[in-house]
Amino acid sequence: MPLALQPSRILIVEDETIVARDIRNQLIELGYEPVGHATRGEEAIALTGDLRPDLVLMDIQLASVMDGIAAAQAIRTQFALPVVFLTAFDADQILERAKLTEPFGYLLKPFSARELRTVVTMALYKHQAEAKLISSTCQLQALSRRVLEAQEFERRRVAVELHDELGQLLTAIKINLQLGERLKDCAPSELNTENIRIVDDALNQVRRLATGLRPALLDDLGLSPALQWIAEIIAARSSFSVHFCPQEMPQRLAPDIETACFRIVQEALTNISRHAQATQVTITLCHENNALVLCVQDDGLGFDLAAMRQRAMLGGSVGVLGMQERASLIGGQLDIESAPGQGSQVQLTCPWRALAPSA
């Protein structure tokens, strides 16, 4: 049974007790939950910190040293919560000061229940949109940092392999060629054999580099063989076994979908290898209702999903952000389920889009 939505919690800041009581009754009738009442600016800030309401209704004219505008500024700065101003005055000077606090609404007293509902509803919606935007911005910044870090790491890896592996092999061939030039009277068969062996080693090294950057299997044979390959590669150096269950696909998928699926599985298996201590991993791939469904499930330690999402928001779990971003770019949705001691499941659902026929 789905959980009932909790009513929005609202703090009332009003120094007129009768007015505050009337506002409280209106909020209750409208389906909101008044969580407290403050009469002074300092008290409003303290109650906001203690109660963490969803919204603050703030009277501008308060019988205290700190008026509502100053209190609203402190609340926005300290808690990033939305504030709606209430006032019986509409002087331009007051409005200009109030605008500096970036309020989420403005109500002139006396106001009707309909006006209250409209302003509160829009303020809550605007705050939710703002929170999502901030979250998306934080995720984008974390992903951007990760892209740059990954780019530099990959450049260093390729540079080291080119220098230490290919560089040495090419140097050896050069030395052999120079030696053969000096020893023209000697039979070249041994040097030729050695050069051929070195060239074979160099070719194998180039293939390993190319496969590390992007497996040719994905382009040549498609998603299922590529997933089988990466699963076997990662499982071979880990402590788990992989059971891959692909449904026979009616046709090849669009390249961007195949790439996203491959990288999501690669990241999921890498995370399992590093953290899960799993013994069994199951990968399923199927075509359902004109959608592609890809699932990676393990029997490992599991994790606290809420804590993981918080780390991802702060940039501490960029692998998850990367998988979500890849899913989003192909119009899909990535769902993660886990709990401590109960393993985990990563599922991608995206629209089915086939490979375009060649011209």
Side-chain angles (χ1 to χ4, degrees), residues 49-305:
D50 293 339
L51 301 174
R52 294 300 173 109
D54 299 309
L55 182 140
V56 178
L57 288 177
M58 177 75 70
D59 185 20
I60 290 181
Q61 302 293 333
L62 297 175
S64 63
V65 175
M66 177 181 287
D67 68 1
I69 295 176
Q73 182 64 63
I75 288 171
R76 290 286 293 151
T77 301
Q78 295 179 35
F79 309 111
L81 290 174
V83 175
V84 169
F85 282 125
L86 312 174
T87 184
F89 304 95
D90 59 354
D92 290 343
Q93 185 176 1
I94 293 176
L95 291 176
E96 288 302 318
R97 267 192 71 214
K99 283 194 295 186
L100 296 176
T101 67
E102 299 180 349
F104 282 66
Y106 197 90
L107 277 168
L108 284 175
K109 302 177 187 176
F111 47 81
S112 66
R114 181 178 179 180
E115 291 172 322
L116 177 62
R117 179 177 189 144
T118 300
V119 172
V120 169
T121 299
M122 293 305 298
L124 290 169
Y125 175 80
K126 181 181 175 184
H127 179 59
Q128 290 173 356
E130 181 184 77
K132 288 180 181 179
L133 179 60
I134 292 172
S135 172
S136 298
T137 301
C138 291
Q139 291 184 17
L140 181 60
Q141 290 174 343
L143 281 172
S144 297
R145 288 194 299 269
R146 176 58 176 164
V147 166
L148 292 176
E149 291 170 1
Q151 185 182 58
E152 290 304 315
F153 174 82
E154 197 64 23
R155 285 175 174 174
R156 283 194 297 271
R157 184 183 73 83
V158 173
V160 168
E161 295 210 28
L162 287 174
H163 179 271
D164 293 351
E165 300 289 339
L166 285 177
Q168 291 184 17
L169 294 174
L170 293 174
T171 299
I173 293 175
K174 179 181 178 181
I175 291 172
N176 283 349
L177 291 174
Q178 291 173 336
L179 183 61
E181 182 68 23
R182 291 197 299 269
L183 303 176
K184 290 182 178 180
D185 297 334
C186 299
S189 59
E190 292 185 5
L191 285 178
N192 287 340
T193 300
E194 177 68 10
N195 285 338
I196 291 172
R197 184 192 65 79
I198 294 172
V199 169
D200 284 339
D201 289 344
L203 288 172
N204 287 333
Q205 184 65 22
V206 169
R207 291 191 187 100
R208 284 196 296 271
L209 277 172
T211 300
L213 294 173
R214 180 178 174 86
L217 199 64
L218 183 60
D219 296 318
D220 296 340
L221 300 181
L223 182 58
S224 291
L227 291 182
Q228 182 74 54
W229 172 79
I230 192 64
E232 291 175 354
I233 290 292
I234 296 179
R237 60 174 185 254
S238 306
S239 59
F240 57 79
S241 60
V242 174
H243 183 47
F244 182 41
C245 310
Q247 183 186 75
E248 185 174 350
M249 296 292 145
Q251 56 204 136
R252 282 286 299 271
L253 288 159
D256 58 332
I257 293 180
E258 290 191 339
T259 300
C261 290
F262 179 83
R263 295 305 183 190
I264 287 172
V265 170
Q266 185 179 34
E267 182 65 34
L269 291 174
T270 300
N271 288 340
I272 293 170
S273 176
R274 289 175 179 171
H275 310 296
Q277 298 182 28
T279 59
Q280 178 70 45
V281 176
T282 301
I283 304 173
T284 58
L285 179 68
C286 60
H287 180 203
E288 294 181 358
N289 300 322
N290 206 32
L292 177 73
V293 181
L294 171 65
C295 183
V296 182
Q297 188 168 10
D298 71 80
D299 62 355
L301 298 177
F303 51 87
D304 185 326
L305 193 57

